[in-house]
Amino acid sequence: KHPDPKFSSALEYELDEVNMTVNQISRFRHDPDVLGYVMGNVQCKPDGSKVVGWGSAYNSITEFDSLGEIAYEMEFEAFSYRSYRFPWKTDYFVTDSDSLDFGDVYYLDSLEQEVLIMNKAGYDINITSIYNTDSVFYSTEEFPVLVPDGDSVTLKIVFAPDTIGDYSRLITINSDINTDTLIQRVAQQMVLKGKGSLDQSGIDESLGLKARVYPSPVNDMLTVEVLDNDPETSLRLYDISGKLFYSSTVPEDGKIVIDMNTYKPGLYFVQLKATLSGKSGYYKTIKN
């Protein structure tokens, strides 16, 4: 009979076949405890980390670092008979680079760069979303973005530092299929880097469209005032996932008011583009 509390763990032993002794040298245990009655495995990696499949105990895979701390965990809707983790990168679609460095950007400004997406699937695919853990890097694309077979598209990525310092983020570019017959996600990851700086000398003022976006946070009515408006300035409002919520042409007086009462709380982005001058601007606001 097992003592309470009952739990599963990944144990590592050292066997001395000469002296016929066994010593436990490590134990990897989930927090909170889980208990499996069948299946499960442990993968020992060269760096000392362990990948544990919990079998019937828990519908997830846990990777522990060499110190026993959880480094990665993935959940899914099934038990795992055996679980392993290996380096893999898809060629379903590819990016032109594994990383993007925005350099120094004034911490109240923003800079836009492009990522080239090439379709190698053998048929048309859609880029359905870009996942990021915060709003310092974001995309203003309206998803899904169609990438024809054998062709390529560019996705716009914006770096908008809100504090001074170095930034490094991992973003995931997703191509999802969700139908009655197929549920699939294929993704590529990129490292985005940049530095929020106090120095404004590197900013090209010819690209910057100056505007005021207030209040932030906003409860009901959001006001956008374009300070150097031209007759063909467009305005678009996106949420953090890239979904378009509002679009309009800015009137001659440069002022437009958006009713945010029906919008869900969260982070939103105002994109302004002046057709004649070529200037653009990106502004963040929070809906309470």
Side-chain angles (χ1 to χ4, degrees), residues 197-223:
S197 173
L198 275 173
D199 182 13
Q200 301 187 59
S201 60
I203 296 175
D204 185 352
E205 294 293 344
S206 66
L207 299 178
L209 192 155
K210 303 303 179 183
R212 296 176 61 218
V213 177
Y214 61 92
S216 184
V218 57
N219 293 314
D220 41 34
M221 310 304 289
L222 180 70
T223 300

PDB file of all heavy atoms in Angstrom, residues 197-223:
ATOM      1  N   SER A 197      15.094  54.286 -26.384  1.00  0.00           N
ATOM      2  CA  SER A 197      16.176  55.238 -26.168  1.00  0.00           C
ATOM      3  C   SER A 197      15.641  56.632 -25.875  1.00  0.00           C
ATOM      4  O   SER A 197      14.530  56.987 -26.263  1.00  0.00           O
ATOM      5  CB  SER A 197      17.067  55.276 -27.415  1.00  0.00           C
ATOM      6  OG  SER A 197      18.032  56.293 -27.338  1.00  0.00           O
ATOM      7  N   LEU A 198      16.456  57.443 -25.196  1.00  0.00           N
ATOM      8  CA  LEU A 198      16.145  58.855 -24.983  1.00  0.00           C
ATOM      9  C   LEU A 198      16.595  59.711 -26.157  1.00  0.00           C
ATOM     10  O   LEU A 198      16.194  60.867 -26.290  1.00  0.00           O
ATOM     11  CB  LEU A 198      16.834  59.357 -23.710  1.00  0.00           C
ATOM     12  CG  LEU A 198      16.104  59.127 -22.386  1.00  0.00           C
ATOM     13  CD1 LEU A 198      16.998  59.536 -21.225  1.00  0.00           C
ATOM     14  CD2 LEU A 198      14.795  59.882 -22.341  1.00  0.00           C
ATOM     15  N   ASP A 199      17.421  59.145 -27.007  1.00  0.00           N
ATOM     16  CA  ASP A 199      18.007  59.891 -28.119  1.00  0.00           C
ATOM     17  C   ASP A 199      17.032  59.958 -29.280  1.00  0.00           C
ATOM     18  O   ASP A 199      16.605  58.926 -29.799  1.00  0.00           O
ATOM     19  CB  ASP A 199      19.309  59.216 -28.556  1.00  0.00           C
ATOM     20  CG  ASP A 199      20.006  59.976 -29.679  1.00  0.00           C
ATOM     21  OD1 ASP A 199      19.620  61.135 -29.941  1.00  0.00           O
ATOM     22  OD2 ASP A 199      20.936  59.416 -30.280  1.00  0.00           O
ATOM     23  N   GLN A 200      16.657  61.165 -29.708  1.00  0.00           N
ATOM     24  CA  GLN A 200      15.762  61.345 -30.836  1.00  0.00           C
ATOM     25  C   GLN A 200      16.494  61.637 -32.136  1.00  0.00           C
ATOM     26  O   GLN A 200      15.857  61.838 -33.170  1.00  0.00           O
ATOM     27  CB  GLN A 200      14.791  62.497 -30.568  1.00  0.00           C
ATOM     28  CG  GLN A 200      13.928  62.298 -29.330  1.00  0.00           C
ATOM     29  CD  GLN A 200      12.880  63.375 -29.219  1.00  0.00           C
ATOM     30  OE1 GLN A 200      12.067  63.557 -30.091  1.00  0.00           O
ATOM     31  NE2 GLN A 200      12.896  64.089 -28.107  1.00  0.00           N
ATOM     32  N   SER A 201      17.832  61.614 -32.116  1.00  0.00           N
ATOM     33  CA  SER A 201      18.585  62.016 -33.300  1.00  0.00           C
ATOM     34  C   SER A 201      18.433  61.023 -34.445  1.00  0.00           C
ATOM     35  O   SER A 201      18.603  61.373 -35.606  1.00  0.00           O
ATOM     36  CB  SER A 201      20.073  62.148 -32.952  1.00  0.00           C
ATOM     37  OG  SER A 201      20.596  60.902 -32.489  1.00  0.00           O
ATOM     38  N   GLY A 202      18.113  59.755 -34.140  1.00  0.00           N
ATOM     39  CA  GLY A 202      17.994  58.746 -35.188  1.00  0.00           C
ATOM     40  C   GLY A 202      16.618  58.674 -35.815  1.00  0.00           C
ATOM     41  O   GLY A 202      16.393  57.872 -36.706  1.00  0.00           O
ATOM     42  N   ILE A 203      15.682  59.487 -35.385  1.00  0.00           N
ATOM     43  CA  ILE A 203      14.317  59.422 -35.901  1.00  0.00           C
ATOM     44  C   ILE A 203      14.212  60.237 -37.192  1.00  0.00           C
ATOM     45  O   ILE A 203      14.625  61.394 -37.255  1.00  0.00           O
ATOM     46  CB  ILE A 203      13.315  59.968 -34.872  1.00  0.00           C
ATOM     47  CG1 ILE A 203      13.333  59.081 -33.624  1.00  0.00           C
ATOM     48  CG2 ILE A 203      11.909  60.021 -35.452  1.00  0.00           C
ATOM     49  CD1 ILE A 203      12.475  59.609 -32.510  1.00  0.00           C
ATOM     50  N   ASP A 204      13.657  59.634 -38.219  1.00  0.00           N
ATOM     51  CA  ASP A 204      13.411  60.326 -39.478  1.00  0.00           C
ATOM     52  C   ASP A 204      12.075  61.040 -39.376  1.00  0.00           C
ATOM     53  O   ASP A 204      11.017  60.434 -39.495  1.00  0.00           O
ATOM     54  CB  ASP A 204      13.397  59.322 -40.634  1.00  0.00           C
ATOM     55  CG  ASP A 204      13.271  60.005 -41.991  1.00  0.00           C
ATOM     56  OD1 ASP A 204      13.037  61.229 -42.014  1.00  0.00           O
ATOM     57  OD2 ASP A 204      13.413  59.318 -43.004  1.00  0.00           O
ATOM     58  N   GLU A 205      12.101  62.328 -39.135  1.00  0.00           N
ATOM     59  CA  GLU A 205      10.871  63.092 -38.920  1.00  0.00           C
ATOM     60  C   GLU A 205       9.974  63.088 -40.152  1.00  0.00           C
ATOM     61  O   GLU A 205       8.772  63.317 -40.045  1.00  0.00           O
ATOM     62  CB  GLU A 205      11.209  64.543 -38.537  1.00  0.00           C
ATOM     63  CG  GLU A 205      11.904  64.678 -37.189  1.00  0.00           C
ATOM     64  CD  GLU A 205      11.005  64.301 -36.024  1.00  0.00           C
ATOM     65  OE1 GLU A 205       9.769  64.219 -36.210  1.00  0.00           O
ATOM     66  OE2 GLU A 205      11.533  64.070 -34.929  1.00  0.00           O
ATOM     67  N   SER A 206      10.554  62.805 -41.327  1.00  0.00           N
ATOM     68  CA  SER A 206       9.722  62.800 -42.538  1.00  0.00           C
ATOM     69  C   SER A 206       8.727  61.648 -42.535  1.00  0.00           C
ATOM     70  O   SER A 206       7.762  61.647 -43.272  1.00  0.00           O
ATOM     71  CB  SER A 206      10.622  62.693 -43.780  1.00  0.00           C
ATOM     72  OG  SER A 206      11.274  61.440 -43.821  1.00  0.00           O
ATOM     73  N   LEU A 207       8.982  60.619 -41.684  1.00  0.00           N
ATOM     74  CA  LEU A 207       8.081  59.465 -41.624  1.00  0.00           C
ATOM     75  C   LEU A 207       7.062  59.590 -40.512  1.00  0.00           C
ATOM     76  O   LEU A 207       6.113  58.825 -40.465  1.00  0.00           O
ATOM     77  CB  LEU A 207       8.897  58.182 -41.430  1.00  0.00           C
ATOM     78  CG  LEU A 207       9.902  57.839 -42.523  1.00  0.00           C
ATOM     79  CD1 LEU A 207      10.660  56.577 -42.155  1.00  0.00           C
ATOM     80  CD2 LEU A 207       9.218  57.675 -43.861  1.00  0.00           C
ATOM     81  N   GLY A 208       7.261  60.509 -39.589  1.00  0.00           N
ATOM     82  CA  GLY A 208       6.435  60.566 -38.394  1.00  0.00           C
ATOM     83  C   GLY A 208       5.227  61.469 -38.556  1.00  0.00           C
ATOM     84  O   GLY A 208       5.352  62.674 -38.802  1.00  0.00           O
ATOM     85  N   LEU A 209       4.029  60.897 -38.437  1.00  0.00           N
ATOM     86  CA  LEU A 209       2.814  61.674 -38.474  1.00  0.00           C
ATOM     87  C   LEU A 209       2.419  61.968 -37.027  1.00  0.00           C
ATOM     88  O   LEU A 209       2.136  61.056 -36.267  1.00  0.00           O
ATOM     89  CB  LEU A 209       1.711  60.890 -39.197  1.00  0.00           C
ATOM     90  CG  LEU A 209       0.437  61.654 -39.574  1.00  0.00           C
ATOM     91  CD1 LEU A 209      -0.232  60.972 -40.756  1.00  0.00           C
ATOM     92  CD2 LEU A 209      -0.533  61.714 -38.414  1.00  0.00           C
ATOM     93  N   LYS A 210       2.446  63.230 -36.645  1.00  0.00           N
ATOM     94  CA  LYS A 210       2.221  63.618 -35.256  1.00  0.00           C
ATOM     95  C   LYS A 210       0.733  63.703 -34.939  1.00  0.00           C
ATOM     96  O   LYS A 210      -0.043  64.287 -35.706  1.00  0.00           O
ATOM     97  CB  LYS A 210       2.906  64.953 -34.955  1.00  0.00           C
ATOM     98  CG  LYS A 210       4.407  64.942 -35.229  1.00  0.00           C
ATOM     99  CD  LYS A 210       5.114  63.844 -34.435  1.00  0.00           C
ATOM    100  CE  LYS A 210       6.603  63.829 -34.737  1.00  0.00           C
ATOM    101  NZ  LYS A 210       7.289  62.729 -34.039  1.00  0.00           N
ATOM    102  N   ALA A 211       0.356  63.120 -33.818  1.00  0.00           N
ATOM    103  CA  ALA A 211      -1.054  63.116 -33.422  1.00  0.00           C
ATOM    104  C   ALA A 211      -1.158  62.973 -31.913  1.00  0.00           C
ATOM    105  O   ALA A 211      -0.217  62.577 -31.238  1.00  0.00           O
ATOM    106  CB  ALA A 211      -1.801  61.984 -34.117  1.00  0.00           C
ATOM    107  N   ARG A 212      -2.332  63.304 -31.393  1.00  0.00           N
ATOM    108  CA  ARG A 212      -2.667  63.083 -29.993  1.00  0.00           C
ATOM    109  C   ARG A 212      -3.814  62.085 -29.928  1.00  0.00           C
ATOM    110  O   ARG A 212      -4.798  62.213 -30.658  1.00  0.00           O
ATOM    111  CB  ARG A 212      -3.084  64.391 -29.310  1.00  0.00           C
ATOM    112  CG  ARG A 212      -1.994  65.446 -29.237  1.00  0.00           C
ATOM    113  CD  ARG A 212      -2.528  66.730 -28.634  1.00  0.00           C
ATOM    114  NE  ARG A 212      -3.019  66.494 -27.267  1.00  0.00           N
ATOM    115  CZ  ARG A 212      -4.108  67.066 -26.747  1.00  0.00           C
ATOM    116  NH1 ARG A 212      -4.846  67.882 -27.486  1.00  0.00           N
ATOM    117  NH2 ARG A 212      -4.479  66.814 -25.513  1.00  0.00           N
ATOM    118  N   VAL A 213      -3.664  61.056 -29.075  1.00  0.00           N
ATOM    119  CA  VAL A 213      -4.701  60.043 -28.892  1.00  0.00           C
ATOM    120  C   VAL A 213      -5.026  60.016 -27.403  1.00  0.00           C
ATOM    121  O   VAL A 213      -4.164  59.682 -26.588  1.00  0.00           O
ATOM    122  CB  VAL A 213      -4.224  58.658 -29.383  1.00  0.00           C
ATOM    123  CG1 VAL A 213      -5.285  57.600 -29.125  1.00  0.00           C
ATOM    124  CG2 VAL A 213      -3.879  58.709 -30.868  1.00  0.00           C
ATOM    125  N   TYR A 214      -6.249  60.371 -27.045  1.00  0.00           N
ATOM    126  CA  TYR A 214      -6.586  60.497 -25.633  1.00  0.00           C
ATOM    127  C   TYR A 214      -8.098  60.286 -25.437  1.00  0.00           C
ATOM    128  O   TYR A 214      -8.871  60.381 -26.401  1.00  0.00           O
ATOM    129  CB  TYR A 214      -6.172  61.887 -25.122  1.00  0.00           C
ATOM    130  CG  TYR A 214      -6.856  63.044 -25.814  1.00  0.00           C
ATOM    131  CD1 TYR A 214      -8.040  63.584 -25.310  1.00  0.00           C
ATOM    132  CD2 TYR A 214      -6.339  63.605 -26.988  1.00  0.00           C
ATOM    133  CE1 TYR A 214      -8.689  64.641 -25.944  1.00  0.00           C
ATOM    134  CE2 TYR A 214      -6.972  64.649 -27.631  1.00  0.00           C
ATOM    135  CZ  TYR A 214      -8.149  65.166 -27.102  1.00  0.00           C
ATOM    136  OH  TYR A 214      -8.789  66.204 -27.734  1.00  0.00           O
ATOM    137  N   PRO A 215      -8.531  59.977 -24.181  1.00  0.00           N
ATOM    138  CA  PRO A 215      -7.693  59.671 -23.024  1.00  0.00           C
ATOM    139  C   PRO A 215      -7.207  58.222 -23.093  1.00  0.00           C
ATOM    140  O   PRO A 215      -7.731  57.423 -23.862  1.00  0.00           O
ATOM    141  CB  PRO A 215      -8.654  59.849 -21.851  1.00  0.00           C
ATOM    142  CG  PRO A 215      -9.986  59.441 -22.406  1.00  0.00           C
ATOM    143  CD  PRO A 215      -9.972  59.910 -23.847  1.00  0.00           C
ATOM    144  N   SER A 216      -6.222  57.887 -22.297  1.00  0.00           N
ATOM    145  CA  SER A 216      -5.759  56.514 -22.156  1.00  0.00           C
ATOM    146  C   SER A 216      -5.377  56.275 -20.703  1.00  0.00           C
ATOM    147  O   SER A 216      -4.482  56.962 -20.204  1.00  0.00           O
ATOM    148  CB  SER A 216      -4.571  56.218 -23.067  1.00  0.00           C
ATOM    149  OG  SER A 216      -4.200  54.855 -22.990  1.00  0.00           O
ATOM    150  N   PRO A 217      -6.086  55.398 -20.020  1.00  0.00           N
ATOM    151  CA  PRO A 217      -7.154  54.513 -20.485  1.00  0.00           C
ATOM    152  C   PRO A 217      -8.418  55.292 -20.883  1.00  0.00           C
ATOM    153  O   PRO A 217      -8.648  56.392 -20.407  1.00  0.00           O
ATOM    154  CB  PRO A 217      -7.419  53.613 -19.280  1.00  0.00           C
ATOM    155  CG  PRO A 217      -6.240  53.745 -18.400  1.00  0.00           C
ATOM    156  CD  PRO A 217      -5.730  55.127 -18.613  1.00  0.00           C
ATOM    157  N   VAL A 218      -9.216  54.674 -21.764  1.00  0.00           N
ATOM    158  CA  VAL A 218     -10.447  55.279 -22.229  1.00  0.00           C
ATOM    159  C   VAL A 218     -11.627  54.429 -21.761  1.00  0.00           C
ATOM    160  O   VAL A 218     -11.563  53.205 -21.767  1.00  0.00           O
ATOM    161  CB  VAL A 218     -10.439  55.415 -23.766  1.00  0.00           C
ATOM    162  CG1 VAL A 218     -10.234  54.070 -24.444  1.00  0.00           C
ATOM    163  CG2 VAL A 218     -11.711  56.083 -24.261  1.00  0.00           C
ATOM    164  N   ASN A 219     -12.696  55.109 -21.338  1.00  0.00           N
ATOM    165  CA  ASN A 219     -13.905  54.410 -20.910  1.00  0.00           C
ATOM    166  C   ASN A 219     -14.965  54.376 -21.994  1.00  0.00           C
ATOM    167  O   ASN A 219     -15.628  53.369 -22.209  1.00  0.00           O
ATOM    168  CB  ASN A 219     -14.479  55.061 -19.653  1.00  0.00           C
ATOM    169  CG  ASN A 219     -13.584  54.886 -18.448  1.00  0.00           C
ATOM    170  OD1 ASN A 219     -13.095  53.790 -18.197  1.00  0.00           O
ATOM    171  ND2 ASN A 219     -13.364  55.955 -17.706  1.00  0.00           N
ATOM    172  N   ASP A 220     -15.151  55.519 -22.694  1.00  0.00           N
ATOM    173  CA  ASP A 220     -16.222  55.581 -23.690  1.00  0.00           C
ATOM    174  C   ASP A 220     -15.767  56.185 -25.018  1.00  0.00           C
ATOM    175  O   ASP A 220     -15.715  55.499 -26.015  1.00  0.00           O
ATOM    176  CB  ASP A 220     -17.428  56.339 -23.123  1.00  0.00           C
ATOM    177  CG  ASP A 220     -17.039  57.563 -22.310  1.00  0.00           C
ATOM    178  OD1 ASP A 220     -16.030  58.210 -22.655  1.00  0.00           O
ATOM    179  OD2 ASP A 220     -17.733  57.861 -21.330  1.00  0.00           O
ATOM    180  N   MET A 221     -15.412  57.487 -25.018  1.00  0.00           N
ATOM    181  CA  MET A 221     -15.099  58.161 -26.274  1.00  0.00           C
ATOM    182  C   MET A 221     -13.593  58.402 -26.396  1.00  0.00           C
ATOM    183  O   MET A 221     -12.977  59.024 -25.530  1.00  0.00           O
ATOM    184  CB  MET A 221     -15.847  59.491 -26.369  1.00  0.00           C
ATOM    185  CG  MET A 221     -17.342  59.390 -26.067  1.00  0.00           C
ATOM    186  SD  MET A 221     -18.211  58.180 -27.113  1.00  0.00           S
ATOM    187  CE  MET A 221     -18.186  59.047 -28.686  1.00  0.00           C
ATOM    188  N   LEU A 222     -13.002  57.900 -27.486  1.00  0.00           N
ATOM    189  CA  LEU A 222     -11.574  58.088 -27.764  1.00  0.00           C
ATOM    190  C   LEU A 222     -11.413  59.188 -28.805  1.00  0.00           C
ATOM    191  O   LEU A 222     -12.038  59.141 -29.871  1.00  0.00           O
ATOM    192  CB  LEU A 222     -10.951  56.794 -28.279  1.00  0.00           C
ATOM    193  CG  LEU A 222      -9.451  56.852 -28.608  1.00  0.00           C
ATOM    194  CD1 LEU A 222      -8.623  56.978 -27.328  1.00  0.00           C
ATOM    195  CD2 LEU A 222      -9.023  55.613 -29.404  1.00  0.00           C
ATOM    196  N   THR A 223     -10.590  60.168 -28.499  1.00  0.00           N
ATOM    197  CA  THR A 223     -10.350  61.284 -29.417  1.00  0.00           C
ATOM    198  C   THR A 223      -8.981  61.154 -30.066  1.00  0.00           C
ATOM    199  O   THR A 223      -7.983  60.907 -29.388  1.00  0.00           O
ATOM    200  CB  THR A 223     -10.425  62.630 -28.677  1.00  0.00           C
ATOM    201  OG1 THR A 223     -11.734  62.774 -28.110  1.00  0.00           O
ATOM    202  CG2 THR A 223     -10.165  63.796 -29.627  1.00  0.00           C
TER     203      THR A 223
END
